[in-house]
Amino acid sequence: SADAAGAFVVGLEDEFWQVRKAAIKSICQLALRSRVFREKSLEVIVDMLSDEIETVRLAAVRALYRIRNHIHLSSTHLQVVLKLLQDVSQHLRVPVQALLASVPLTDPASLKLTIQALKDNIKMYPQDTPNIYCSLNRLGVNLHALAEQVTLQMLTVDTPYLTTEPDVDDTSYVATMVFVLSAASVNPHVL
């Protein structure tokens, strides 16, 4: 099935979005069955996140979600996924937030980048706030060991502000606390 990757290129480049969407679904099915195919197909699935049609991008997000436990997103792949948080369609952003909450990240830089992108997403689209808090909660629980490495940096406060109480209405502060406390609920060493 590893040689089948080339056969899908034609489907992924088809002028009809329905064909591209079907090709992504088929690639996902094969990727779930074959490690070799999965490794070769990850790049093309990520490339489809940039398709001009929202339905195709959504199919690619769903495919990544289905294979999330079997893949490693490189920093380049992660950047492409994070860019989708800026999409005008909430219909697309919500599955991206769910993907980010459950994809296994392996390094502190990727985790910090993901958390910051989610916090920026709240500023850009305040209506996404409840979904993002849920994503940060799951991210903290899922990556509690990695959270140990980034928590101190996330909670660092400038000396002039040590006497002031944090603003609990500040969505960025709340988002940070949701992540940290969720991670600490599983791993007390986070605090």
Side-chain angles (χ1 to χ4, degrees), residues 82 85 97 100 111-126 128-129 132-133 135-136 139 153-156 170-180:
L82 293 175
L85 289 172
Q97 294 157 2
L100 291 170
L111 179 57
K112 287 183 359 186
L113 190 64
T114 300
I115 293 168
Q116 188 58 52
L118 288 166
K119 288 166 49 173
D120 292 344
N121 194 202
I122 292 174
K123 291 176 187 156
M124 188 177 284
Y125 298 105
D128 289 2
T129 301
I132 293 172
Y133 287 165
S135 294
L136 286 166
L139 193 64
Q153 293 171 331
M154 292 177 66
L155 296 177
T156 301
D170 176 9
T171 55
S172 181
Y173 170 75
V174 173
T176 299
M177 294 311 296
V178 166
F179 171 77
V180 170

Side-chain angles (χ1 to χ4, degrees), residues 68-87:
R68 71 190 180 281
N69 293 323
H70 308 289
I71 60 172
H72 169 70
L73 289 179
S74 68
S75 60
T76 305
H77 294 149
L78 183 60
Q79 290 286 350
V80 175
V81 173
L82 293 175
K83 189 171 181 175
L84 288 176
L85 289 172
Q86 299 170 9
D87 198 281

Side-chain angles (χ1 to χ4, degrees), residues 138-156:
R138 290 196 324 263
L139 193 64
V141 169
N142 293 340
L143 300 178
H144 59 86
L146 198 55
E148 261 187 83
Q149 299 175 45
V150 300
T151 299
L152 279 178
Q153 293 171 331
M154 292 177 66
L155 296 177
T156 301

Side-chain angles (χ1 to χ4, degrees), residues 7-131:
F8 286 109
V9 171
V10 174
L12 293 171
E13 294 177 352
D14 197 274
E15 66 180 293
F16 295 105
W17 66 265
Q18 295 92 338
V19 174
R20 296 193 304 273
K21 180 181 172 185
I24 291 170
K25 284 183 169 186
S26 297
I27 288 171
C28 180
Q29 290 295 326
L30 287 173
L32 286 168
R33 292 186 176 111
S34 167
R35 180 188 56 79
V36 174
F37 185 81
R38 185 171 42 248
E39 290 170 0
K40 290 185 177 196
S41 64
L42 179 59
E43 190 72 36
V44 296
I45 294 173
V46 171
D47 284 346
M48 296 310 290
L49 294 172
S50 301
D51 194 273
E52 71 263 6
I53 303 296
E54 177 185 332
T55 306
V56 175
R57 292 193 307 271
L58 185 57
V61 169
R62 288 180 176 152
L64 286 175
Y65 186 84
R66 290 193 63 207
I67 64 173
R68 71 190 180 281
N69 293 323
H70 308 289
I71 60 172
H72 169 70
L73 289 179
S74 68
S75 60
T76 305
H77 294 149
L78 183 60
Q79 290 286 350
V80 175
V81 173
L82 293 175
K83 189 171 181 175
L84 288 176
L85 289 172
Q86 299 170 9
D87 198 281
V88 295
S89 170
Q90 187 176 25
H91 187 66
L92 181 63
R93 289 192 314 271
V94 170
V96 171
Q97 294 157 2
L99 172 64
L100 291 170
S102 60
V103 72
L105 300 173
T106 57
D107 64 277
S110 294
L111 179 57
K112 287 183 359 186
L113 190 64
T114 300
I115 293 168
Q116 188 58 52
L118 288 166
K119 288 166 49 173
D120 292 344
N121 194 202
I122 292 174
K123 291 176 187 156
M124 188 177 284
Y125 298 105
Q127 67 271 25
D128 289 2
T129 301
N131 291 331

Side-chain angles (χ1 to χ4, degrees), residues 155-167:
L155 296 177
T156 301
V157 180
D158 290 333
T159 311
Y161 299 108
L162 285 176
T163 58
T164 60
E165 209 171 291
D167 181 5

